[in-house]
Amino acid sequence: KLGSVAAVGALAWKVYQDYQAQQTAQTPAGAPNAPQQAALPAPTVFENLTGPQIEQHSQAMLKAMIAAAKADGHMDERERGLVQAELQRLDADPATQRWVEAEMQKPVEPRDVAAASTSPEMAAEIYLASVLVADETTTMERAYLDALAQQLNLPPELKTQLEAKATSTA
């Protein structure tokens, strides 16, 4: 279900870009609060990041995946497998593996996950990764996703578009 964090980033950026284009089309030029469309940053792709940025981004994505997986109070086999697959893809060192184990023991706090976001694009990426991991059919995971979207300050339309994209790629 989740090929790689880099693919999630590119997908989230595309949804965010489409959302911004829609907002620009719906808002008359020069109107207050008109979105700025001119300079959207490129999607977060690992090849474009430096060492510390890669570490920060990877931890943010893993934190989002772990929290979403645990939002219903436990991690099932599928959810644990997604996190483990990402660790293998990242060729995680022992320190990273210990960090992941510690994250798995922490309580789920949408505010902590959202705090890792450094831009609106990354907020979209964190939310999309979370939706891909979470089982939205459980009340607790749905509530977690709603709380996370609120903490990330995602507009409702963008949240809906990200969820639709997650469903179409499942």
Side-chain angles (χ1 to χ4, degrees), residues 91-166:
D91 195 24
D93 60 18
T96 300
Q97 291 176 2
R98 284 190 301 276
W99 177 85
V100 167
E101 287 301 320
E103 284 295 313
M104 288 182 176
Q105 302 305 316
K106 288 183 179 178
V108 175
E109 293 291 337
R111 183 181 324 237
D112 291 343
V113 175
S117 176
T118 58
S119 68
E121 298 81 14
M122 189 168 180
E125 187 176 355
I126 286 171
Y127 188 74
L128 182 60
S130 298
V131 171
L132 287 168
V133 172
D135 178 5
E136 291 185 66
T137 61
T138 72
T139 304
M140 292 175 72
E141 288 189 1
R142 180 70 256 167
Y144 168 77
L145 290 172
D146 292 342
L148 179 61
Q150 183 179 13
Q151 290 295 319
L152 291 166
N153 296 316
L154 293 180
E157 303 85 16
L158 179 57
K159 177 180 176 264
T160 300
Q161 290 174 15
L162 289 164
E163 290 172 359
K165 186 54 79 174

Side-chain angles (χ1 to χ4, degrees), residues 18-58:
D18 291 348
Y19 167 77
Q20 286 289 3
Q22 288 173 348
Q23 295 304 301
T24 300
Q26 294 173 1
T27 305
N33 301 325
Q36 299 298 316
Q37 180 65 19
L40 281 178
T44 303
V45 179
F46 285 108
E47 293 80 23
N48 297 336
L49 300 176
T50 64
Q53 291 171 321
I54 291 170
E55 183 72 20
Q56 179 186 18
H57 187 268
S58 296

Side-chain angles (χ1 to χ4, degrees), residues 1-11 44-47 57 61 65 82 85-86 89-90 125 128-129 132:
K1 194 172 181 184
L2 183 62
S4 74
V5 172
V8 171
L11 185 60
T44 303
V45 179
F46 285 108
E47 293 80 23
H57 187 268
M61 299 289 51
M65 293 171 66
L82 289 169
E86 190 58 25
R89 190 192 71 73
L90 294 172
E125 187 176 355
L128 182 60
L132 287 168

